Amino acid sequence: MSIIVCLPGSAVGRVDEAVAEAMMPFARDGVGAVERDVWDSFRICGGSMGLPVLADHEDDPRLIEDRPRWDGTLEPGLPGICAGGPRGLIDFRDALRARGAEHAGRVWDRWQEVASRHPAADDESVFFYRHLAAAGTRASYETSQEAAAYRAQPAVHAWAEVAPTLARPDIADHFSFGWDAVGIGQRSREEYVATYEFSLLPSRNVLTLGGWWYELDEAPQHGACHSRADCVHEPDVNEGHQGVQSYLLALPADTLLVNVRCHV
């Protein structure tokens, strides 16, 4: 797996040592501080999960280069991708974020238009829990009478016909057109757009400045605490892909972002 290790700008000149210090609480070699040891070896490198460099800054000496493999060789580099550097030199893909946000806004507007022509629909959770109350299971819901009743609501049925017209090969897979269409309108336009602003950017794991190991789809771990049960601190990253991207984007420009590939 790969994880972006965040270091203060003052760590420039001692990146390898600073990364090792940040990673140490999560080591598998018996000296890790946390209950769930994560890695047994790691290396600073870019590759396919490296960080994109801002245009015209590819030769900036502040960028961090790949470290050699165990045998001293280097992986072939990818154009425009680095192993790390100051956050201000990393491309957070403004164009991709704008495209995701614009499309999300279009989806929200279209749902409002469709929903306005039909009676108010209940969201899918109503039907799902009704199915569970009737001794159904999560696995059996999709083919159940309750799921069919949800889809039969006029607004939801109409949306199922409209949604494919919004599909775009570069974007459509990132939007849940088919799942709980009613949920689209339960958020404000701003909230819905914000949810999908980062949808076209690659998913990232992050080790924050505060020592939180945030691995997508896993509960965060704090390097200062032995276990989640013992930890009384609040994570410094919000849930999910959006939370990670927002955290990275908000860091000071001199914060060092270092892509680390771990053997787990």
Side-chain angles (χ1 to χ4, degrees):
M1 65 164 289
S2 290
I3 190 165
I4 296 177
V5 177
C6 303
L7 302 173
S10 58
V12 67
R14 56 179 303 272
V15 169
D16 292 83
E17 295 87 348
V19 166
E21 290 167 5
M23 295 283 288
M24 184 56 68
F26 307 95
R28 261 193 191 170
D29 59 4
V31 299
V34 298
E35 191 174 62
R36 176 177 172 261
D37 297 336
V38 180
W39 60 268
D40 55 24
S41 65
F42 69 84
R43 181 167 59 91
I44 296 171
C45 63
S48 61
M49 286 302 293
L51 295 164
V53 182
L54 279 178
D56 302 323
H57 290 80
E58 292 83 357
D59 297 323
D60 194 299
R62 293 173 292 172
L63 295 176
I64 298 168
E65 298 179 348
D66 285 14
R67 303 310 191 240
R69 298 186 181 100
W70 64 270
D71 61 359
T73 62
L74 287 171
E75 294 181 50
L78 296 176
I81 301 295
C82 69
R87 188 205 60 75
L89 293 181
I90 304 305
D91 185 358
F92 279 86
R93 308 298 196 188
D94 290 353
L96 288 180
R97 287 165 46 214
R99 191 189 310 166
E102 183 273 335
H103 194 65
R106 187 183 307 120
V107 170
W108 192 91
D109 292 342
R110 193 74 175 91
W111 164 254
Q112 296 296 332
E113 179 185 337
V114 169
S116 69
R117 300 198 300 265
H118 301 281
D122 291 324
D123 71 53
E124 192 158 18
S125 65
V126 172
F127 299 85
F128 175 71
Y129 287 110
R130 187 180 299 163
H131 178 66
L132 295 185
T137 66
R138 182 178 295 274
S140 64
Y141 170 74
E142 189 59 31
T143 57
S144 68
Q145 292 182 343
E146 290 81 10
Y150 166 73
R151 293 190 289 264
Q153 295 178 103
V156 176
H157 180 74
W159 180 249
E161 297 178 349
V162 169
T165 68
L166 295 166
R168 285 175 50 178
D170 59 334
I171 288 181
D173 288 346
H174 297 269
F175 289 86
S176 299
F177 288 134
W179 183 82
D180 194 12
V182 180
I184 296 172
Q186 291 177 333
R187 287 171 280 180
S188 70
R189 192 180 195 277
E190 292 74 18
E191 290 172 330
Y192 188 77
V193 167
T195 298
Y196 289 103
E197 177 186 357
F198 300 106
S199 61
L200 303 184
L201 275 62
S203 297
R204 301 282 188 184
N205 304 307
V206 66
L207 176 51
T208 72
L209 290 172
W212 285 90
W213 182 285
Y214 194 94
E215 190 176 334
L216 289 177
D217 301 323
E218 297 282 351
Q221 299 181 85
H222 195 197
C225 301
H226 175 66
S227 70
R228 295 187 181 105
D230 296 335
C231 185
V232 297
H233 307 99
E234 285 294 322
D236 46 15
V237 174
N238 292 328
E239 286 286 328
H241 175 55
Q242 178 190 1
V244 170
Q245 294 288 350
S246 297
Y247 172 80
L248 294 172
L249 191 61
L251 290 170
D254 67 341
T255 304
L256 298 177
L257 306 182
V258 188
N259 193 67
V260 173
R261 186 179 299 171
C262 310
H263 184 266
V264 297

